[in-house]
Amino acid sequence: MTTTTPTPLARTRLTPAPQQTAAYRAAARTALPAPARTGTSPAFPFVAAHALAQHTVTALTAGDQGFTGVVHLAQEIHTHTPLTPGTALDVALEVTAARREARGTRIALTTRLTDPATGTEKARLSTAALLLGATAPTPFGTPAATAHPGTTPDTEPHTLTLALTRADTTAYAHASGDHNPIHLDDTAARTAGFPGVIAHGMHLVALAAEHLTDRYADGDPARVTALGARFAAPYTPGTPLRLTLQPYDRATVVRFTLATENGTAVKAGWAALAPATGR
């Protein structure tokens, strides 16, 4: 059975606390000095949307005996107005597509963060995830293609090598509110098919966003107006990680990848940058 009707909206309201946004940005800036400018991490809208996404997945897989877990496949974040700590947000999420695949059901989620007072959209997120072993969600719709902007490279790529530690991964779990045991417990990770604890995919994206903000946006996170990436393989803390940044189109877009000696962990990464104020 196929339908083109999205599932009903799931909604909630939250107010990110200043200490929450600060802790998240600190966790994202692994091995980086204190930021040159204050501001909310370009990846933080994902944190604001995460709890509702988890709730939605739980509802979709209720009673599904084959469901064993979630794999985050791709993420896009479009920020129209930087999120301000202490300011309320309305969060609305809908499942816009579901497709049966060999390993389970692939779903597409669209989440909107809006100002409760005016209804103005502050950010929009597009998420692709695989519900491993799941067969309960009815297939419908067509997942949208992922973006990868940038036409003409500006200069040679900038590459640096770093590594996340187990402590970094634990700190990110607490700062983001994502306490999935595969990021915290070796036994749980091995049960899920990994060699041990793996880092959050969005930790890698948030780390790349901070590096490119420092290098190409004068340290101003508000200039990062969009962020996207696809998750290709898990990353094990302690493994050397190579981050490659490539500016495009007069530094209005920066593409990035993160890879280990075993292959690419995050591919097709990109960030859109607004001009500096006064330009």
Side-chain angles (χ1 to χ4, degrees):
M1 176 179 176
T2 301
T3 178
T4 57
T5 304
T7 57
L9 283 174
R11 298 180 184 273
T12 191
R13 180 171 292 181
L14 57 84
T15 303
Q19 58 267 35
Q20 180 186 15
T21 58
Y24 182 79
R25 194 167 185 213
R29 291 184 64 83
T30 299
L32 285 175
R37 302 192 187 188
T38 59
T40 303
S41 164
F44 188 79
F46 177 80
V47 178
H50 183 64
L52 192 58
Q54 284 188 312
H55 173 79
T56 300
V57 167
T58 299
L60 286 173
T61 57
D64 192 331
Q65 298 301 312
F67 174 67
T68 58
V70 181
V71 175
H72 196 181
L73 301 176
Q75 186 65 51
E76 289 184 21
I77 302 170
H78 296 266
T79 303
H80 315 310
T81 305
L83 304 188
T84 304
T87 301
L89 291 169
D90 276 345
V91 185
L93 179 150
E94 63 181 328
V95 183
T96 53
R99 183 178 70 195
R100 196 82 74 238
E101 297 186 353
R103 298 174 60 203
T105 300
R106 180 189 180 110
I107 60 171
L109 309 176
T110 297
T111 309
R112 294 175 175 83
L113 309 181
T114 60
D115 182 331
T118 65
T120 302
E121 184 175 280
K122 297 176 73 69
R124 180 179 300 194
L125 300 90
S126 299
T127 306
L130 180 64
L131 309 182
L132 293 170
T135 58
T138 301
F140 74 96
T142 303
T146 55
H148 195 208
T151 303
T152 305
D154 296 336
T155 60
E156 290 299 312
H158 174 73
T159 301
L160 63 156
T161 300
L162 44 96
L164 300 178
T165 66
R166 285 283 294 264
D168 293 332
T169 298
T170 299
Y172 184 87
H174 292 308
S176 66
D178 184 350
H179 297 100
N180 187 326
I182 64 173
H183 304 303
L184 300 168
D185 180 75
D186 283 321
T187 299
R190 293 188 186 108
T191 300
F194 303 109
V197 160
I198 61 171
H200 305 70
M202 283 303 296
H203 189 176
L204 303 186
V205 172
L207 176 63
E210 291 293 338
H211 274 277
L212 68 87
T213 294
D214 286 355
R215 187 171 183 85
Y216 301 107
D218 302 320
D220 184 1
R223 287 182 56 195
V224 182
T225 60
L227 189 62
R230 294 164 61 191
F231 304 106
Y235 168 73
T236 301
T239 305
L241 182 66
R242 186 175 66 257
L243 169 62
T244 301
L245 303 171
Q246 173 68 70
Y248 277 74
D249 303 339
R250 298 184 179 181
T252 58
V253 172
V254 179
R255 291 186 183 182
F256 62 87
T257 60
L258 294 112
T260 71
E261 61 181 10
N262 297 319
T264 302
V266 175
K267 64 182 180 180
W270 60 273
L273 305 182
T277 303
R279 287 186 182 179

